[in-house]
Amino acid sequence: MEAIELRQTRQLAVGDTLVSTSGSTYEVTKLTRIGRGIRVHYLSTDGRAGRFTAAPEAVSRVLGGRLGASAPHVA
């Protein structure tokens, strides 16, 4: 089982896997700066696309352990 870490939206990168509280996973496909927020585009495991907008400081649950890896930042 992989570890789940908490990251601010500004620390997300394309290819990260987000995990919902119910255990569903979503792959980040695109990150865009929208005003003061960040729009996160994602793809669910069943192929459905979606998006949400969050503050740069908002926290997301991310699958995997890329601790120490340099991720490109959006904000």
Side-chain angles (χ1 to χ4, degrees):
M1 181 174 187
E2 292 187 66
I4 295 175
E5 65 180 70
L6 299 178
R7 277 198 220 146
Q8 291 184 333
T9 306
R10 70 169 57 102
Q11 297 172 316
L12 294 177
V14 172
D16 282 342
T17 301
L18 304 176
V19 181
S20 71
T21 55
S22 65
S24 300
T25 58
Y26 306 89
E27 181 182 351
V28 176
T29 57
K30 182 178 177 184
L31 297 162
T32 308
R33 186 70 190 222
I34 302 293
R36 296 177 69 189
I38 298 171
R39 179 156 297 151
V40 179
H41 296 258
Y42 62 85
L43 194 60
S44 66
T45 53
D46 61 1
R48 288 183 296 151
R51 68 178 185 225
F52 65 90
T53 303
E57 305 83 25
V59 176
S60 297
R61 295 164 39 106
V62 182
L63 187 65
R66 291 187 331 144
L67 293 174
S70 59
H73 299 301
V74 177

